[in-house]
Amino acid sequence: MSRTPDGTGTVAVVTGAARGIGAAVALRLAAGGATVVVVDREERDTAGTVAAVRRAGGRALGIGCDVAVAAEVRTAMLRIAAAYGRLDILVNCAGVTRDRLLLAMDDPEWDTVLDVSLGGTMRWSLAAAELMKHRGTGRIVTFSSVAADGNPGQSNYATAKAALAGFTRALASELGPHGITVNAVAPGFVATPMVAELADRLGVDREAFLKEAASHAAVGRVGTVDDIAAVVAFLTGRDSGYLTGQTVSVDGGRR
């Protein structure tokens, strides 16, 4: 990709970057020299990640955007284009859960998860590709999950994440001629605020929840946000130019 050796000049967008994996990805890309646009539903929610990037000597801009609303995505992309005139990296990390057994699930719980995780990825990828293709280069990384295999009470989430594997493969074929690679990351059990909230909803002790999850990993521990961010850094870097259309499982050797 057309950047200096330290990544200076690169512009990266990370959605869902107010906390958890998204925030870690934003910090990792900024540490590599990229200017990072931190996107979350409300601009005020991006302040913590933006401040952390700047404290570490990086450059960041916070933008509020509901990824489920096409008009908001277009407005955000216009702002990015006006500020930087380019986009090199898009990381689609925004996602939500609305866990419930299907027999008890209502339409809004189904629609919200699909609109954010799947629809939001589609909208941002479309907007980013339009800007990237004019430069003939770009990296798009989407977030699937090992939950794509199916978990009880997560039929909506599993459906969205499984669909993203097919979306990634199809989009990689479409954008390859424009010099744009498209890959997905499927994290296993990672210690994030979302996981802590899941433990609370299930009414189980958080530490016991993590310990049980660790027992199912070959490496004997749960993942960290930095584990995932490191893989994203590779997929968005210059050494991954021949890798596209793939979903990379980062699950500690899940058993």
Side-chain angles (χ1 to χ4, degrees), residues 42-74:
E42 300 291 339
E43 187 165 328
R44 63 176 177 270
D45 294 335
T46 70
T49 303
V50 168
V53 168
R54 292 174 178 170
R55 281 196 303 270
R59 299 172 303 279
L61 169 69
I63 292 182
C65 173
D66 184 342
V67 302
V69 180
E72 293 195 24
V73 175
R74 288 193 296 269

Side-chain angles (χ1 to χ4, degrees), residues 105-183:
M105 188 177 295
D106 58 30
D107 284 354
E109 290 169 331
W110 177 272
D111 292 342
T112 295
V113 172
L114 271 292
D115 284 347
V116 173
S117 295
L118 183 56
T121 294
M122 178 276 292
R123 295 179 191 96
W124 267 101
S125 296
L126 173 61
E130 289 291 342
L131 194 55
M132 289 175 176
K133 72 179 184 180
H134 295 298
R135 292 178 50 79
T137 185
R139 298 279 192 268
I140 296 176
V141 176
T142 71
F143 265 80
S144 182
S145 169
V146 295
D149 292 342
N151 287 328
Q154 287 193 313
S155 59
N156 47 7
Y157 189 74
T159 297
K161 295 303 185 180
L164 283 170
F167 175 83
T168 295
R169 191 85 179 169
L171 192 61
S173 296
E174 294 182 16
L175 298 184
H178 298 287
I180 302 167
T181 65
V182 186
N183 291 291

